[in-house]
Amino acid sequence: MKIPFNKPYLTGKETHYLYDAVSTGKLSGNGKYTQKCQKFFEEEYGFGKSLLTTSCTDALEMAAILINIKEGDEVIMPSYTFVSTSNAFVLRGAMIVFADSRKDRPGIDEDSIEALITKRTKAIVPVHYAGVACDMDKIMELANKYNLYVVEDAAQAIDSYYTGRDGVKKALGSIGHLAAFSFHETKNIISGEGGMLAINDMQFAKRAEIIWEKGTNRSAFFRGEVDKYGWVDIGSSFLPSELISSFLWAQLENLENIQARRKQLWAQYYYGLKEWALKNDIMIPFVPSFATINGHMFYLVCKSPKQRKELIAKLKENDIHAVFHYLSLHKSPFYIDRHDGRYLPFVDYYSDCLVRLPLFYELKDEEVISVVDYLIN
Ligand SMILES: *Cc1c(COP(=O)(O)O)cnc(C)c1O
């Protein structure tokens, strides 16, 4: 029995909606399906405004333009993340100030952020790793105190929540001024490549639409708000075609179903491995009481790189594909000379010791059981 790390799930309706988009002849962006998806996200998760993008990378680049990142600005983010989180801000001339991860989970160490803030700091970019929320009250308080923007990298965090000290439960991506999501084929809901920018601080709403449409006020023109459209700002082609959004719509119709199954698989791993992990000094995901899981990822953190290597090899012998994750960005060939030299022990720890197990919608109960059995026996 061969078990891949990931297998993109198709609900069966994708080609139906694609065919519909094709047959109506409206193929470029911001048509019926784009609007249906955006409306869904706004209503379901309480985002001020949602704009589909061609990737989460693009949504992050839009965020960097929107908050006016300039040469010399500093942006604080975890080093344990995907390159796009930082690249988007580096492209606008920012210096990235990398923070360490927490001891109990790979997310940013919220308590380390304040010491990294300087007069040049413009934004904090928390990454909700594995769809588990960062402590957003702490981060928003710092942002208010120092007048900073918060851009949530919610690439992995669709349909996950954070409960604040006030007891109010909010969707991830609805808390920061801006948030970026991914619909890449490795995420919970997919459109091949794809993403979304969520805008919660509505001062950005109008300009976001302009940046999205190549720096023009074309969206306002199509709504009849202006009688001609032209070049009014910088921008790029950040919006996806209707071919992508029609595909995404089929996924959104099935979101509840997809999420229920992924969470079930996550729980099977969790309860199947809990005791064994404890006995072997292996860390399993810790979910703080303010956070939820969204079944995006199930990971283990080994006690050493050697243990991880053996574990991956053992699974591979049995045709099971488990993979590690990010390499510390502060040590990357591109950034190592720009990094201020701070030692980030927990980032290195997750970089060296974290391993992700197969988790995808069509993974069968028996398959999870056999992964668990190979690990614990
Ligand atoms: C997947 C991912 C991205 C990039 O998403 P794309 O849609 O591929 O651009 C960015 N950040 C994080 C944390 C991710 O997991």
Side-chain angles (χ1 to χ4, degrees):
M1 169 161 58
K2 199 177 166 72
I3 307 179
F5 171 66
N6 181 50
K7 182 173 178 238
Y9 171 59
L10 301 179
T11 69
K13 290 292 273 299
E14 286 81 0
T15 46
H16 171 77
Y17 290 127
L18 243 166
Y19 183 83
D20 181 54
V22 170
S23 60
T24 57
K26 164 69 184 156
L27 302 182
S28 60
N30 202 9
K32 174 173 86 176
Y33 285 106
T34 300
Q35 281 162 21
K36 274 164 91 86
C37 292
Q38 291 176 173
K39 186 158 175 277
F40 174 92
F41 287 123
E42 288 163 10
E43 286 174 358
E44 186 73 20
Y45 298 118
F47 307 140
K49 185 179 173 72
S50 144
L51 290 175
L52 294 191
T53 56
T54 43
S55 63
C56 176
T57 303
D58 271 355
L60 289 163
E61 286 178 24
M62 283 184 70
I65 296 174
L66 275 167
I67 63 172
N68 270 322
I69 293 291
K70 293 184 308 294
E71 197 81 37
D73 288 343
E74 292 176 2
V75 178
I76 298 170
M77 65 178 66
S79 170
Y80 195 71
T81 184
F82 190 60
V83 288
S84 294
T85 319
S86 46
N87 235 337
F89 297 89
V90 169
L91 276 170
R92 314 290 327 152
M95 275 291 299
I96 308 300
V97 178
F98 286 116
D100 206 357
S101 291
R102 295 179 57 98
K103 185 177 182 186
D104 61 2
R105 56 184 189 275
I108 191 167
D109 179 357
E110 298 89 347
D111 293 327
S112 75
I113 296 174
E114 189 160 14
L116 302 176
I117 296 173
T118 71
K119 282 200 299 285
R120 291 178 297 278
T121 308
K122 192 90 171 256
I124 305 170
V125 186
V127 179
H128 303 301
Y129 186 80
V132 173
C134 299
D135 189 337
M136 290 308 289
D137 278 349
K138 263 191 201 162
I139 292 171
M140 296 311 289
E141 268 162 32
L142 286 174
N144 285 334
K145 183 169 166 193
Y146 294 97
N147 208 8
L148 309 174
Y149 292 116
V150 173
V151 179
E152 295 174 69
D153 182 336
Q156 306 173 9
I158 195 75
D159 200 44
S160 205
Y161 294 83
Y162 171 78
T163 304
R165 313 274 188 275
D166 58 4
V168 179
K169 188 172 170 179
K170 288 187 181 146
L172 297 186
S174 73
I175 304 164
H177 302 86
L178 299 163
F181 287 86
S182 175
F183 309 126
H184 183 266
E185 72 167 37
T186 51
K187 304 301 200 285
N188 289 28
I189 52 166
I190 60 174
S191 60
E193 303 279 353
M196 169 183 48
L197 179 72
I199 297 138
N200 302 310
D201 182 339
M202 293 305 274
Q203 67 159 314
F204 294 120
K206 203 169 156 198
R207 188 165 179 239
E209 213 175 52
I210 288 166
I211 290 165
W212 191 59
E213 278 272 27
K214 300 126 188 131
T216 73
N217 54 353
R218 182 162 144 177
S219 300
F221 172 72
F222 282 124
R223 282 194 300 266
E225 293 164 16
V226 290
D227 56 12
K228 54 183 186 304
Y229 84 86
W231 189 15
V232 294
D233 202 335
I234 61 167
S236 192
S237 189
F238 288 120
L239 75 175
S241 82
E242 283 284 290
L243 304 181
I244 286 174
S245 52
S246 59
F247 189 107
L248 184 63
W249 180 247
Q251 297 267 316
L252 294 187
E253 276 190 337
N254 267 275
L255 181 94
E256 231 176 284
N257 185 31
I258 291 170
Q259 286 301 94
R261 178 60 184 157
R262 294 189 71 114
K263 286 191 256 188
Q264 214 174 40
L265 291 164
W266 190 97
Q268 282 180 38
Y269 275 132
Y270 186 85
Y271 293 105
L273 293 170
K274 204 173 163 181
E275 221 174 290
W276 162 83
L278 196 67
K279 256 192 273 173
N280 289 280
D281 267 339
I282 291 172
M283 188 199 284
I284 52 168
F286 171 71
V287 184
S289 58
F290 57 65
T292 60
I293 57 138
N294 69 344
H296 174 61
M297 178 200 303
F298 193 88
Y299 64 82
L300 298 167
V301 192
C302 296
K303 62 183 172 205
S304 65
K306 180 170 167 284
Q307 188 189 40
R308 176 172 77 173
K309 203 171 155 200
E310 288 163 1
L311 196 149
I312 291 175
K314 186 175 174 188
L315 291 175
K316 194 168 174 229
E317 268 166 40
N318 294 289
D319 258 342
I320 296 161
H321 193 204
V323 294
F324 50 77
H325 211 181
Y326 305 127
L327 302 174
S328 311
L329 289 182
H330 69 287
K331 288 186 170 173
S332 61
F334 179 68
Y335 220 81
I336 190 160
D337 294 333
R338 295 168 172 86
H339 178 62
D340 55 24
R342 272 173 304 112
Y343 175 49
L344 305 175
F346 288 110
V347 176
D348 294 340
Y349 167 53
Y350 294 113
S351 210
D352 290 342
C353 300
L354 185 143
V355 55
R356 296 174 289 160
L357 301 180
L359 200 166
F360 49 89
Y361 182 85
E362 287 173 280
L363 188 65
K364 298 188 188 75
D365 289 349
E366 312 87 85
E367 292 176 319
V368 178
I369 291 167
S370 69
V371 176
V372 168
D373 280 349
Y374 286 129
L375 283 172
I376 67 181
N377 292 312

